[in-house]
Amino acid sequence: MFTKYSEISREERYFTSYLYHDIKNNPSAFEKLLSKLLCKSIKIKESVYEAAFVRDILFCNPKKNELREYINQKYQKPKAFEKTTFDLLLILENYDLIIIEAKAVCHFSNEQLLQNIEIMKFIKEKYIDLGFNREPSINQIGLCSNRYTPQKINKKLLFPLIKWNEVASIYPEHKTIYQRACSIFKDRIQKRKTTCPCDRADFLCQ
């Protein structure tokens, strides 16, 4: 019998929620990690967990009807725009954006990454109408196990990666949480054959 839920959780949102709070409490540690990864200075103004960015930024926008019409005409899956949530959204002091797509058990999805890129294009195209003073730089970053090397990702969608064990090293207070996020990817491969639907990869990735 488990003694803590943290010992059995396989949900990436669980692990990402810890990272969200760690970034809020100590942004400088994550800023250093990102600065090294992206080769530029990073200063975080705000971190947002499970951010439905398009939905929220359109809700109070006086041009929301025009912007929705633009999305409907230009993009293949317009209905997905306002439903899409970013696992973590980092708004930098200069209002550049960093989108973090996190995985624990699952693989990255080409479909999801492409949807994120479509939203990134929309933000850049309509940045003035969305309230930005200039066109923001937007980076998409993957967060996953060090045991996972994405091999089926479309080359056009490749993006920088942070591994959960790197997060464990900069936020030692929750080291065991992040180490579990890192270890369960291998666990999934070993236990692929199962009669329990909640352990199936296709179920978990929905």
Side-chain angles (χ1 to χ4, degrees):
M1 179 65 181
F2 69 93
T3 57
K4 293 182 179 179
Y5 187 77
S6 59
E7 297 174 357
I8 63 169
S9 176
R10 297 164 63 83
E11 174 55 62
E12 63 221 20
R13 282 173 289 191
Y14 175 79
F15 305 112
T16 309
S17 68
Y18 272 88
L19 178 56
Y20 163 73
H21 287 290
D22 278 338
I23 292 173
K24 285 184 71 70
N25 293 331
N26 179 14
S28 63
F30 205 64
E31 288 169 349
K32 291 177 183 178
L33 185 60
L34 289 175
S35 296
K36 182 177 180 181
L37 181 71
L38 299 176
C39 299
K40 63 179 182 180
S41 178
I42 299 294
K43 291 293 181 182
I44 298 170
K45 179 181 179 66
E46 186 178 11
S47 59
V48 188
Y49 175 66
E50 287 291 308
F53 185 78
V54 175
R55 181 199 67 190
D56 293 340
I57 204 166
L58 289 185
F59 181 77
C60 59
N61 192 305
K63 294 185 178 181
K64 60 186 174 185
N65 292 332
E66 296 173 30
L67 291 167
R68 283 176 176 142
E69 183 62 27
Y70 179 84
I71 292 170
N72 288 335
Q73 291 181 358
K74 181 155 187 178
Y75 296 100
Q76 292 183 348
K77 296 183 177 180
K79 292 182 179 179
F81 267 58
E82 294 187 59
K83 295 180 180 179
T84 297
T85 58
F86 303 138
D87 297 328
L88 275 179
L89 174 66
L90 303 180
I91 302 172
L92 306 186
E93 287 188 350
N94 61 0
Y95 287 93
D96 286 344
L97 305 175
I98 295 177
I99 297 166
I100 297 180
E101 182 70 18
K103 295 297 177 187
V105 175
C106 295
H107 291 216
F108 290 112
S109 159
N110 279 311
E111 183 179 1
Q112 179 62 59
L113 296 178
L114 181 59
Q115 182 63 40
N116 289 352
I117 288 175
E118 293 281 88
I119 291 175
M120 291 161 64
K121 288 179 181 178
F122 166 69
I123 295 170
K124 285 177 166 289
E125 290 165 353
K126 291 295 183 178
Y127 71 92
I128 294 177
D129 291 337
L130 295 175
F132 290 86
N133 293 326
R134 61 170 181 82
E135 181 181 322
S137 169
I138 309 175
N139 291 100
Q140 180 169 224
I141 293 174
L143 175 58
C144 62
S145 170
N146 66 322
R147 295 171 176 172
Y148 172 37
T149 301
Q151 297 178 342
K152 295 183 179 181
I153 297 298
N154 187 312
K155 290 183 179 179
K156 295 181 180 179
L157 305 179
L158 290 176
F159 56 150
L161 294 175
I162 293 174
K163 302 304 178 77
W164 284 111
N165 62 336
E166 294 180 274
V167 176
S169 69
I170 63 172
Y171 293 122
E173 183 179 352
H174 298 126
K175 183 177 181 178
T176 56
I177 299 289
Y178 299 131
Q179 285 177 332
R180 173 162 172 76
C182 204
S183 67
I184 60 176
F185 183 79
K186 182 179 180 180
D187 176 56
R188 175 201 166 204
I189 293 175
Q190 290 177 338
K191 298 181 179 180
R192 185 172 294 169
K193 294 182 179 180
T194 176
T195 58
C196 176
C198 64
D199 273 344
R200 292 205 329 265
D202 57 347
F203 181 91
L204 285 165
C205 290
Q206 290 176 356

